[in-house]
Coordinates of all heavy atoms in Angstrom, one line a residue:
Chain A
E5 N 135.5 -19.4 159.4 CA 134.8 -20.7 159.1 C 133.3 -20.6 159.5 O 133.0 -20.0 160.5 CB 135.5 -21.8 159.9 CG 136.9 -22.2 159.6 CD 137.1 -22.8 158.2 OE1 136.1 -23.3 157.7 OE2 138.2 -22.7 157.7
Q6 N 132.5 -21.2 158.7 CA 131.0 -21.3 159.0 C 130.5 -22.6 158.7 O 131.1 -23.4 157.8 CB 130.3 -20.3 158.1 CG 130.7 -18.9 158.2 CD 129.9 -18.0 157.1 OE1 130.5 -17.3 156.3 NE2 128.6 -18.0 157.2
S7 N 129.4 -23.0 159.3 CA 128.7 -24.2 159.0 C 128.0 -24.0 157.6 O 127.7 -22.9 157.2 CB 127.7 -24.6 160.0 OG 126.9 -23.5 160.3
L8 N 127.8 -25.1 156.9 CA 127.4 -25.1 155.5 C 125.9 -24.7 155.4 O 125.5 -24.1 154.4 CB 127.8 -26.4 154.8 CG 129.2 -26.6 154.5 CD1 129.4 -28.0 153.9 CD2 129.8 -25.6 153.5
F9 N 125.2 -25.3 156.2 CA 123.7 -25.3 156.0 C 122.9 -25.3 157.2 O 123.3 -25.8 158.3 CB 123.4 -26.7 155.2 CG 122.0 -26.8 154.8 CD1 121.5 -26.1 153.7 CD2 121.1 -27.6 155.5 CE1 120.2 -26.2 153.3 CE2 119.8 -27.8 155.1 CZ 119.3 -27.0 154.1
L10 N 121.8 -24.5 157.1 CA 120.8 -24.4 158.3 C 119.4 -24.5 157.7 O 119.1 -23.7 156.8 CB 121.1 -23.1 159.0 CG 120.1 -22.8 160.1 CD1 120.3 -23.7 161.3 CD2 120.3 -21.3 160.6
S11 N 118.7 -25.3 158.3 CA 117.2 -25.4 157.9 C 116.4 -24.9 159.1 O 116.6 -25.3 160.3 CB 116.8 -26.9 157.6 OG 115.5 -26.9 157.2
V12 N 115.4 -24.1 158.8 CA 114.6 -23.5 160.0 C 113.2 -23.3 159.6 O 112.9 -23.2 158.3 CB 115.2 -22.2 160.4 CG1 115.2 -21.2 159.3 CG2 114.5 -21.6 161.7
R13 N 112.3 -23.5 160.5 CA 110.8 -23.3 160.1 C 110.5 -21.8 160.2 O 111.0 -21.0 161.0 CB 110.0 -24.0 161.1 CG 110.1 -25.6 161.0 CD 108.7 -26.3 161.1 NE 108.8 -27.7 160.8 CZ 108.6 -28.1 159.7 NH1 108.3 -27.3 158.6 NH2 108.7 -29.3 159.4
E14 N 109.6 -21.4 159.3 CA 109.1 -20.0 159.3 C 108.6 -19.6 160.6 O 107.8 -20.4 161.2 CB 108.0 -19.9 158.2 CG 107.7 -18.4 157.9 CD 106.7 -18.4 156.7 OE1 106.1 -19.4 156.4 OE2 106.4 -17.2 156.2
G15 N 109.0 -18.5 161.1 CA 108.6 -18.0 162.4 C 109.5 -18.3 163.5 O 109.5 -17.6 164.6
D16 N 110.4 -19.3 163.4 CA 111.4 -19.6 164.4 C 112.6 -18.6 164.2 O 112.6 -17.8 163.3 CB 111.8 -21.0 164.2 CG 110.8 -22.1 164.6 OD1 109.8 -21.7 165.2 OD2 111.0 -23.3 164.3
S17 N 113.4 -18.7 165.1 CA 114.7 -18.0 165.1 C 115.7 -18.8 164.4 O 115.8 -20.0 164.6 CB 115.2 -17.6 166.5 OG 114.3 -16.7 167.1
S18 N 116.6 -18.1 163.7 CA 117.8 -18.7 163.0 C 119.0 -18.2 163.8 O 119.1 -17.1 164.1 CB 117.9 -18.4 161.6 OG 116.7 -18.5 160.9

Side-chain angles (χ1 to χ4, degrees):
Chain A
E5 298 292 340
Q6 299 179 240
S7 52
L8 285 175
F9 184 73
L10 176 67
S11 179
V12 62
R13 292 218 171 272
E14 190 175 14
D16 289 349
S17 291
S18 311

